[in-house]
Amino acid sequence: MSERGLNTVSFAGHAASSAQFKALYAEGMGLVEETASYLDGPGRAASKVLPRMASVLYAAESMRLTTRLMQMASWLLLQRAVNNGEMSRDQVLSEKSKVRLDSFNVDRNAPGWNDLPEMFRDLIERSLRLQNRVALLDREIYRPQEAPAFVPDNQNGVKAQIKLLQTAFGAN
């Protein structure tokens, strides 16, 4: 196997240590703070006047929301630690096995959903979107490395890709 095949560029790896990651980190930690502030203040007051079904749903969804945010915050902190050289990739892999980024189902058709405070529903929606972005980045960074395609030593990798495209699309 050519050594050239082992020098693939991980765009996700670069994105994870870029300004984009810093923005994602700031957004995630900001959402954690905003949610905590809401749940301790206006959310607490709003939950006390909800109809029974909405009150039960609020309690369940607030637990899911805080769990989702804590899992994302854990992942973001781990990624920041590896970016800053505070942890090795192997250490992060070991620790991140404790982090769940899979989606907690949200039933927007559940009885009482429309009675939930709009700000609370907005926090849930924003957390779900952020969770999807974090999970996608996680899959891209930490997916098992695939075996690189074999490129003969005497063949340029770009030319080989162009040839494959020409073959696939019937171009000459």
Side-chain angles (χ1 to χ4, degrees), residues 21-40:
F21 174 77
K22 290 176 184 164
L24 181 67
Y25 180 87
E27 181 182 348
M29 293 307 180
L31 187 57
V32 168
E33 289 179 27
E34 182 182 350
T35 300
S37 177
Y38 174 80
L39 293 175
D40 285 341

Side-chain angles (χ1 to χ4, degrees), residues 67-79:
T67 301
R68 182 181 313 115
L69 289 172
M70 290 301 103
Q71 295 295 310
M72 284 188 292
S74 295
W75 188 91
L76 289 167
L77 287 166
L78 285 170
Q79 190 58 46

